[in-house]
Amino acid sequence: MTTPPVGIHDLSFATTHYALDHALLADRLGVDPNKFYLGIGQETMSVAAADEDIVTIAAAAAQPIIDRHGVDHIRTVLLATESGVDQSKSAGLYLHPLIGLPNTARVVELKQACYGGTAGLQFAAGLIARDPSQRVLVIATDIAKYELDTPGEPTQGAAAVAMLVSANPAILRLEPHSGLYSADIMDFWRPNYRTAALVDGKTSVNAYQKATQEAWTDYRRHGGRDLGEFAAFCYHQPFTRMAFKAHRHLLESQGFTADTAAIDAAIRHTTSYNRTVGNSYTASLYLGLVSLLDHADDLTDQPIAFISYGSGSVAEFFSGTLQPGYHDHLRTDANRSAVTTRVPLGYDRYRELHEARTPTDGRYHAIPEETTRPFRLAAISGHKRIYESR
Ligand code: HMG
């Protein structure tokens, strides 16, 4: 029996109500804004309103997929996040009623820092190889939060990417080769009692580059393509300049010329949305893919490289090919509008939102309406999160 190709059949992205301009942050921190624009490659960052969280943006990303394809063949929902709202219950179950997911599905949350979305995609591919009639909804959703006035602060952000994974996909066919690298490193972590991540910034940048090279070596060892074959490289982007650094490192490690033009050609179209959304942890790599598809000329039948990195750390190098007609399935207008319709956020409100804490007394707390996006967190009552859709 031949197995049909498996991959991404539909792809949708959502982000938050607010955007904070890096010029405001540079002014308050007393640094040259070019450190952010050029040094780390970020212009604005998405910031969640008080009534938004990873569930509301995940629902907003997934809803257009459900509207287009229905839920009939969805037997599994894999939600990847490292900004979970509950230690036990999967965030996928909180969004279950919001977007009308079927009861006849397994719903699970996955975690390994920014790598979780890739775990979801690969697990989905395995399930579909076993039964090609089934579809898997994979959602990567995160709000990246560092302490105020730290080097990590300008690399915050938020987004969700939802992917419908199926046999005979309309957008991207996953290739079977995969390169893996895992190692126990304390480069970035968030103990259960903290709302903001801890990070050793320089260690994390070096760990990311080393993991990329090791995963690439493993990819080749397992029969993957030559480096020169790829039309584009989608990297995990904690800040867009990181993709540039990692690609330069990879090219140099393999004896290729790593001039700026060559690196830009490989990654340019993948960075547009991340540059304005910021780090979206699990969603970041797939936001890079959304950006590539919305900005590049026709890539039909072209191989694309994916480099997933999650601190801690796990990395994976894998590849996929764009399917004939993929253009007809993109959501370019909606994606652009998700970015351009964000409301500019003032610095004082940004700090208030950053410092706000979830009530823990179990009483009823209504959350005033702030977001204009399709889903919101309406209240917290009896330690339960109560969501509503518009
Ligand atoms: P920093 O110490 O504030 O910045 O932190 P810097 O001093 O290293 O400067 C950054 C760059 O800006 C440098 O360029 C400067 O030269 C340049 P580089 O040497 O790197 O090429 N610069 C300027 N350029 C133009 N005009 C100027 C100017 N001034 C300086 N005026 C750091 C930077 C990334 C460490 C910090 O933002 C941080 O800690 N970020 C959080 C950690 C992070 O994002 N790590 C990335 C790899 S780990 C990862 O990706 C996983 C993660 O997503 C989490 C997960 O997996 O869940 C984070």
Side-chain angles (χ1 to χ4, degrees), residues 32-36 38-40 82 112-115 146 151-155 187-188 199-202 204-205 208 236-239 241-242 245 248 279 281 309-312:
D32 180 348
N34 279 333
K35 175 171 180 184
F36 299 153
L38 306 174
I40 59 170
E82 56 175 301
Q112 178 15 63
C114 301
Y115 173 75
Y146 295 91
E153 186 182 10
T155 67
D187 61 331
F188 165 105
V199 64
D200 181 340
K202 305 293 176 204
S204 74
V205 169
Y208 179 129
H236 164 56
Q237 295 169 40
F239 49 95
R241 185 75 185 165
M242 186 69 234
K245 282 171 181 282
R248 182 176 59 196
N279 195 354
Y281 291 158
Y309 178 75
S311 284

Side-chain angles (χ1 to χ4, degrees), residues 45-46 83 142-146 153 155-159 278-281:
M45 62 168 87
S46 286
S83 339
D142 267 304
I143 296 173
K145 193 169 173 184
Y146 295 91
E153 186 182 10
T155 67
Q156 298 175 119
N279 195 354
S280 55
Y281 291 158

Side-chain angles (χ1 to χ4, degrees), residues 3-46:
T3 321
V6 175
I8 300 173
H9 191 56
D10 197 1
L11 185 65
S12 167
F13 139 69
T15 188
T16 56
H17 175 72
Y18 285 129
L20 182 75
D21 196 316
H22 274 72
L24 282 182
L25 203 54
D27 183 48
R28 295 300 177 126
L29 294 175
V31 303
D32 180 348
N34 279 333
K35 175 171 180 184
F36 299 153
Y37 299 154
L38 306 174
I40 59 170
Q42 294 303 129
E43 283 170 14
T44 58
M45 62 168 87
S46 286

